[in-house]
Amino acid sequence: MKSSPLAGHAAAFVTTLIWGTTFISTKVLLRVFTPSEILLLRFAIGYFALWCAFPHPLAIKDRRQELCFLAAGLCGVTLYYLFENMALTYTLASNVGVIISIAPFFTAIFSCLFLRAPRPGARFFLGFLIAMAGIALIHFGKGGALRLGPLGDLLAIIAAVIWAAYSTLTKRISTFGCNTIQATRRTFFYGLLLMLPALYFMGFEVSLSEFCEPAILLNILFLGLGASALCFVTWNFAVKILGCVKTSAYIYMVPVVTAATSALVLHEEITLRMVCGIVLTLAGLFLSENKGAKKECERVGTAK
């Protein structure tokens, strides 16, 4: 893909399109595996797939760059999914879905603090508020009510902050001049390495016989090859082209894709409230990505 803004938007769109459908595969795999087992399997498959796609080692001479890869693996692979899974055990999945979607807000803060990026303008924050209102309608549009789970909700907020840190680190890594596949693979390596201590406490008991069922094999391959190997590469590519703030705004699309997939695959009902939520979410995304927002950001940045 050429390094153009259109290619960056296309990469971000494809990423969120796939990530929004992963819940189906995860639900199938949870019949056989634990969340920690699924996590290790999908990223191990993704890691080896990236080696096959680009079998060239990444040479890093600067120790500080290596530390960035380590931090990205810790945040984007190990801690994010660990905190997200822990949050799901203490609060409703709908709560987690809404709270995780605030990651673009923290990404905007981190990009200003650590990347010296221009401060996002009013359009970005207005788009954020509209998208969050839409996401809330989507998640609670099935007749459910918001029920607070303080510990779980706090863990979900931490997960959102961690993902924002990962996106910021990814933007920093993009300035190293590394191949995107190699950079993503190095991030996966550290994520898998740092995952091992958690697996010691959570347990890992997987046998080859469990993959004899076609549905299990196909779904774990989808998560490993699609949601991990492909999507992290396309996400990192989009961050490199668009920046971490504009790319993170595409997270708003994940609940929209999830709702649409639920209706098509699981035949779940789409209510009027959910339709309104989808419209609001897409409107918020469009407002955040609008070119006028970029101009306003530049104007604010020069006024500092």
Side-chain angles (χ1 to χ4, degrees), residues 242-259:
L242 303 177
C244 52
V245 177
K246 292 178 74 65
T247 304
S248 290
Y250 273 90
I251 290 176
Y252 303 148
M253 257 192 62
V254 173
V256 174
V257 176
T258 301

Side-chain angles (χ1 to χ4, degrees), residues 286-297:
F286 176 78
L287 194 60
S288 296
E289 295 291 322
N290 193 277
K291 292 183 179 179
K294 181 177 180 180
K295 293 179 181 178
E296 186 170 353
C297 286

Side-chain angles (χ1 to χ4, degrees), residues 2-128:
K2 296 182 179 179
S3 299
S4 66
L6 181 60
H9 285 291
F13 177 80
V14 169
T15 303
T16 51
L17 189 65
I18 294 176
W19 277 346
T21 63
T22 55
F23 79 101
I24 296 179
S25 294
T26 303
K27 287 180 69 172
V28 172
L29 294 173
L30 283 172
R31 295 192 286 106
V32 178
F33 305 116
T34 65
S36 58
E37 290 169 346
I38 295 172
L39 184 59
L40 180 66
L41 287 170
R42 63 178 283 187
F43 280 100
I45 293 171
Y47 177 75
F48 288 110
L50 293 177
W51 263 111
C52 294
F54 197 79
H56 303 284
L58 176 62
I60 298 293
K61 298 180 180 179
D62 191 335
R63 183 176 298 180
R64 289 175 297 181
Q65 292 183 358
E66 196 72 71
L67 289 175
C68 281
F69 283 109
L70 188 150
L74 177 64
C75 293
V77 177
T78 307
L79 290 182
Y80 172 75
Y81 286 98
L82 179 62
F83 275 91
E84 184 182 62
N85 289 339
M86 290 171 59
L88 288 169
T89 64
Y90 290 105
T91 190
L92 299 176
S94 54
N95 287 32
V96 176
V98 172
I99 294 172
I100 290 296
S101 299
I102 67 176
F105 176 78
F106 292 112
T107 304
I109 294 175
F110 288 165
S111 66
C112 292
L113 292 176
F114 302 111
L115 300 178
R116 298 180 180 179
R119 187 170 67 248
R123 284 178 180 268
F124 174 83
F125 293 107
L126 180 59
F128 167 77

Side-chain angles (χ1 to χ4, degrees), residues 191-238:
L192 287 166
L193 185 66
L194 295 170
M195 203 183 297
L196 296 179
L199 289 174
Y200 176 79
F201 296 101
M202 296 180 179
F204 185 83
E205 298 179 5
V206 175
S207 64
L208 291 176
S209 61
E210 291 169 326
F211 298 97
C212 292
E213 184 180 345
I216 298 299
L217 179 60
L218 291 175
N219 280 287
I220 195 64
L221 288 177
F222 171 71
L223 290 182
L225 300 178
S228 297
L230 175 63
C231 283
F232 271 76
V233 169
T234 52
W235 179 265
N236 294 345
F237 175 83

